[in-house]
Amino acid sequence: MKVPILRLPITEEDAQVLGERFKSVLLSGSLTMGPQTRRFEEMFAQFSGAKHAISNASGTASLELIIRALGIQQRSIIVPTNTFAATAYAVVNTKNRVIFADSDPNTLCLDPEDVARRIEDDTAAVILVHIGGVITPAVEKLKRLCEERNLALIEDCAHAHGCSLNGAPAGTIGCAGAFSFFPTKTLTTGEGGMVVTNSDEIAEKVKIFRNHGKNPALRNKMSEPGNNYRISELTAAFGVWQMEKAEGWISQRQEIAAFYDQNIAGVAGVQPLKLPKGMVSSYYKYIAFLDEDLDRDRLKKLMQERYEVSLTGEVYADLCHTEPVWQGYTYCGMHRDGGTAVRHGWEGCTCDHPAGDFPGAAFVARRHICLPLYPDMTVEECRHVLDSLSKSIQEIRGNT
Ligand SMILES: Cc1ncc(COP(=O)(O)O)c(C=O)c1O
């Protein structure tokens, strides 16, 4: 039985329905910033429990829009090294510098103690990424730290559609949240993003920056150098359809996760990530940790070749700061002065933090796996995933 990394939950009939909707958009004469966009935003605001939802080009654009709306420029922003590169790119793209910080291996998310250690005089914000859809209970500590040190707390919610902690939805905990609708995400529009916020001021500014800097208060005269980060009405129509499906898909994801939870205990060598108390997850990822002796690459290869089961991409196997793109920077985001490019370690960094100073994130990167999880997975497929995981581990350990 073949279990792929991902199967988009779009059937032949769905494609017909969408085709009809796209046709009526095309015939409506309104191709951007029209009724579909407004409807998508209203529906997403309601879904995410935020006062405002502003659609835009991507998750990366959403982060950039938030940083710009906060007026942060030529400052430093703290970002976990355990994230996708785009979190850090948004910082650089808005003319700021990145300070990488460590993560708590129990939650995969930012460790507030490490964040506190890395704050510098020019630090303006912290971006908390809800990795794999996990909202860390340390968010309260981070919030307090940010309040005390006058820092904005921005949420990268690319993995956290429909997630909440103690009733607080992702994106409403800090000053604003950035969602992505990339195809692998819990909800997708092919490409796209959404900023959510309860702040009227941030919402107004995000709308201005998204639309070339056109300012409605000045009868659309341009008050800021903005971007074209809008989405088309076709994308928005796709988004509206996704919102109609969201609840059903998320409960299917939760059922699959519950099946894994109930049955993974029988697999020796693997411990599932325990979600924090009070958390509701939409399970962008189902995360588990491997025992130290197990080699993840070998395990994945075996599962694929022997059982046709594809484990999904990790979050993340390669920490952000180890990517070659950052070789021209120090850990604290300073440009290197033509210094030697070192893949790991960043020797010669002028900041205080030694190389290899991300033990929590390094543990996560080395030890975790993500089981396939998507709405229409069958119980047989889930069982096959766990069976093949168990058999592959036994084979690696020489027990077969
Ligand atoms: C944590 C995280 N942040 C930001 C992004 C960027 O989203 P997009 O690809 O829509 O720009 C992604 C996308 O993969 C992500 O996983």
Side-chain angles (χ1 to χ4, degrees), residues 58-60 63 83-84 86-87 129 156 158-159 180-182 185 192 316:
S58 65
T60 317
L63 286 166
T83 186
F84 182 61
T87 316
V129 186
D156 182 336
H159 302 179
S180 162
F181 298 119
F182 186 70
K185 304 300 189 238
Y316 286 89

Side-chain angles (χ1 to χ4, degrees), residues 353-369:
H353 306 299
D357 198 18
F358 301 95
F363 178 92
V364 170
R366 205 173 60 245
R367 296 276 291 275
H368 82 284
I369 54 171

Side-chain angles (χ1 to χ4, degrees), residues 11-144:
T11 63
E12 188 73 34
E13 285 124 58
D14 293 334
Q16 295 253 327
V17 171
L18 279 167
E20 283 303 314
R21 293 195 186 183
F22 292 155
K23 186 175 162 192
S24 62
V25 170
L26 293 172
L27 296 174
S28 74
S30 174
L31 293 186
T32 187
M33 304 285 270
Q36 296 296 325
T37 303
R38 286 193 291 278
R39 183 81 192 113
F40 182 29
E41 291 177 343
E42 276 162 21
M43 290 173 92
F44 200 86
Q46 194 172 32
F47 168 81
S48 61
K51 187 169 178 194
H52 304 280
I54 304 117
S55 61
N56 61 83
S58 65
T60 317
S62 299
L63 286 166
E64 289 180 26
L65 287 165
I66 295 168
I67 295 168
R68 290 210 62 191
L70 291 167
I72 301 172
Q73 208 179 334
Q74 307 282 0
R75 307 277 296 272
S76 65
I77 297 181
I78 297 178
V79 166
T81 184
N82 186 37
T83 186
F84 182 61
T87 316
Y89 290 160
V91 172
V92 174
N93 293 347
T94 50
K95 302 190 174 71
N96 292 291
R97 70 186 171 94
V98 176
I99 297 180
F100 286 117
D102 200 13
S103 298
D104 177 349
N106 296 307
T107 62
L108 285 75
C109 299
L110 269 181
D111 170 0
E113 317 254 307
D114 193 63
V115 170
R117 185 163 82 93
R118 295 182 196 258
I119 294 170
E120 297 191 16
D121 289 345
D122 72 344
T123 304
V126 173
I127 304 182
L128 172 64
V129 186
H130 303 308
I131 292 288
V134 178
I135 304 180
T136 171
V139 72
E140 283 308 319
K141 231 181 192 177
L142 264 175
K143 256 177 102 166
R144 272 199 304 280

